[in-house]
């Protein structure tokens, strides 16, 4: 089914007509830039080559809500889900990354020996009335042979509320699980006299669980454009700097996620973040993190240099030019 929407170019008079576009074909690069440019958590130049597909449009009286996949079908690029709101003229109002396939890995909890917490990689989303729900799932179960059977099938909802003007507000996550417990040890043989032992099970709806810092990282990644908070990102960088993470642990994974997505958020909001970091030289851990990540990723390095060059704050621009030189960028 063809989707019809006219997106006005941000800062330009021309509009992009998507009348002939369908949900099963990637957008032209120019349209992808206009739709996702303000919310995309990568160097915007990548929108020239990354597949962007509209999956759903819902129209309201004062704005429209557009859901889109980025990177689906691109080798070496994660599949990401975005939501964008446009005003009645088609101009960008707000937007957020809803998730990355497999990002629930950030939420794996430390577990006792004999227990496993297995996240599912898929993400589902739903818009009902004024609420967007992003669904992730996991299984938490006992692996000990001879132990009492125990299993949880958990559901994690990250939610957003749409304001009457089309802005997005994050809500606290809601997590529930269906818990199944056995009444006798798994694998226990039947009595030798031939009598039967009933393996009774209890099933209850209980509170689910996740790694707390992992949820902080996930919610940071999902920050709406209208709600960016540099201090919040820097606080996570402070946590990442102090944590003594075991190799391949959830903490270790999330330290890397702070570097990747914290840097992307800073550059998405460079006009706010770069002056803030320049003004906080004594606790600018995110500045060090950003410079370090830029040294490892050429796309981030180019994006950082472009953002620094575009800074209107002369003092901040000079500070960042020194940082770029200091870090050999």
């Amino acid at each position: 089914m063809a989707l019809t929407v006219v997106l006005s170019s941000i800062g330009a008079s021309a509009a992009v007509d998507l009348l002939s576009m369908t949900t099963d074909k990637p957008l032209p690069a120019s349209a992808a830039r206009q739709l996702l440019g303000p919310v995309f958590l990568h160097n915007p130049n990548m929108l020239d080559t990354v597949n962007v597909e509209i999956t759903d449009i819902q129209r309201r009286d004062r704005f429209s809500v557009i859901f889109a996949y980025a990177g689906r079908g691109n080798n070496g690029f994660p599949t990401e889900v975005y939501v964008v709101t446009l005003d009645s003229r088609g101009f960008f109002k707000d937007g957020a990354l809803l998730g990355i396939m497999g990002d629930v890995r950030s939420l794996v909890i430390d577990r006792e020996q004999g227990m496993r917490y297995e996240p599912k990689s898929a993400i589902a989303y739903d818009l009902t009335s004024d609420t967007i729900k992003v669904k992730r799932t996991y299984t938490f179960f006992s692996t000990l042979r001879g132990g009492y059977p125990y299993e949880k099938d958990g559901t994690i909802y990250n939610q957003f509320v749409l304001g009457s003007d089309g802005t997005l507000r994050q809500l606290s996550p809601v997590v529930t699980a269906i818990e199944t417990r056995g009444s006798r040890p798994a694998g226990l043989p039947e009595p030798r006299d031939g009598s039967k032992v009933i393996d009774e099970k209890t099933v209850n709806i209980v509170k689910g669980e996740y790694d707390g810092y992992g949820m902080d990282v996930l919610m940071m990644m999902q920050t709406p454009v209208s709600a960016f908070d540099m201090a919040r990102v820097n606080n996570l960088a402070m946590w990442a700097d102090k944590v003594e993470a075991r190799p391949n642990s959830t903490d270790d994974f999330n330290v890397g996620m702070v570097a990747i997505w914290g840097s992307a958020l800073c550059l998405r909001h460079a006009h706010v973040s770069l002056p803030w970091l320049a003004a906080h030289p004594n606790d600018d851990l995110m500045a060090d993190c950003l410079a370090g990540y830029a040294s490892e990723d050429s796309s981030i390095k180019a994006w950082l240099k472009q953002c620094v060059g575009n800074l209107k704050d002369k003092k901040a621009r000079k500070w960042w030019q020194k940082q770029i030189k200091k870090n050999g960028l």
Side-chain angles (χ1 to χ4, degrees):
M1 179 180 68
L3 295 176
T4 305
V5 64
V6 175
L7 304 180
S8 296
S9 174
I10 297 173
S13 58
V16 176
D17 185 2
L18 299 183
L19 180 63
S20 61
M21 298 298 170
T22 63
T23 57
D24 58 353
K25 292 182 180 180
L27 294 178
S30 58
R33 274 179 172 266
Q34 290 181 358
L35 179 63
L36 291 189
V39 69
F40 196 50
L41 281 176
H42 303 273
N43 188 325
N45 291 333
M46 297 183 73
L47 287 169
D48 291 340
T49 56
V50 169
N51 288 339
V52 175
E53 307 162 70
I54 293 176
T55 60
D56 187 27
I57 295 177
Q58 295 194 26
R59 295 175 179 79
R60 305 296 172 92
D61 290 339
R62 299 176 60 189
F63 59 88
S64 296
V65 186
I66 296 91
F67 295 92
Y69 278 104
R72 188 161 60 174
N74 287 105
N75 290 331
F77 194 91
T79 299
E80 302 173 349
V81 186
Y82 289 90
V83 62
V84 172
T85 59
L86 306 172
D87 67 18
S88 58
R89 298 177 299 161
F91 285 94
F92 180 87
K93 186 66 180 180
D94 205 357
L97 170 74
L98 294 185
I100 306 164
M101 296 302 173
D103 62 16
V104 76
R105 172 67 180 81
S106 293
L107 306 180
V108 174
I109 62 172
D110 288 333
R111 52 213 179 273
E112 299 176 359
Q113 186 177 5
M115 298 295 295
R116 291 187 65 179
Y117 187 109
E118 289 191 353
K120 305 298 189 298
S121 62
I123 299 170
Y125 63 85
D126 175 71
L127 171 57
T128 302
S129 185
D130 64 349
T131 304
I132 299 171
K133 291 185 178 181
V134 185
K135 179 182 179 182
R136 297 170 176 84
T137 58
Y138 68 90
T139 302
F140 189 39
F141 59 94
S142 170
T143 63
L144 288 177
R145 296 185 63 183
Y148 286 89
Y150 174 84
E151 181 176 357
K152 280 185 177 180
D153 290 314
T155 301
I156 302 169
Y157 284 107
N158 287 89
Q159 302 181 102
F160 300 80
V161 170
L162 284 166
S164 59
D165 60 350
T167 55
L168 295 160
R169 179 168 59 91
Q170 278 182 307
L171 300 180
S172 298
V174 175
V175 187
T176 59
I178 298 175
E179 179 187 78
T180 302
R181 291 179 178 269
S183 62
R184 61 191 286 261
L188 187 70
E190 299 290 345
R192 292 184 179 183
D193 61 7
S195 60
K196 296 292 183 180
V197 175
I198 298 175
D199 184 9
E200 295 181 350
K201 293 182 178 180
T202 58
V203 179
N204 297 295
I205 296 177
V206 298
K207 185 177 180 180
E209 57 268 282
Y210 54 77
D211 179 84
Y213 279 110
M215 181 60 78
D216 289 342
V217 173
L218 184 63
M219 292 187 71
M220 175 197 72
M221 293 160 54
Q222 294 177 292
T223 302
V225 170
S226 63
F228 176 71
D229 182 350
M230 186 58 234
R232 175 187 179 188
V233 177
N234 202 58
N235 285 340
L236 278 177
M238 293 174 67
W239 165 79
D241 182 65
K242 294 177 181 179
V243 67
E244 296 182 5
R246 294 176 289 104
N248 302 317
S249 66
T250 301
D251 280 348
D252 185 45
F253 181 82
N254 283 319
V255 166
M257 296 291 271
V258 170
I260 294 171
W261 301 108
S263 296
L265 273 169
C266 286
L267 294 180
R268 189 179 80 181
H269 299 273
H271 64 293
V272 174
S273 66
L274 297 187
W276 188 98
L277 290 168
H280 293 76
N282 296 323
D283 55 0
D284 59 351
L285 287 172
M286 196 59 231
D288 295 336
C289 189
L290 175 54
Y293 187 49
S295 69
E296 301 174 2
D297 189 305
S298 59
S299 179
I300 294 294
K301 179 169 68 173
W303 193 10
L304 172 61
K305 286 185 173 181
Q306 181 180 6
C307 290
V308 170
N310 291 336
L311 280 176
K312 295 181 179 179
D313 185 324
K314 293 181 180 179
K315 186 176 181 180
R317 184 170 68 245
K318 185 176 181 179
W319 188 88
W320 273 102
Q321 287 170 341
K322 289 181 179 179
Q323 296 303 306
I324 288 173
K325 184 176 181 180
K326 173 184 173 182
N327 287 275
L329 301 175

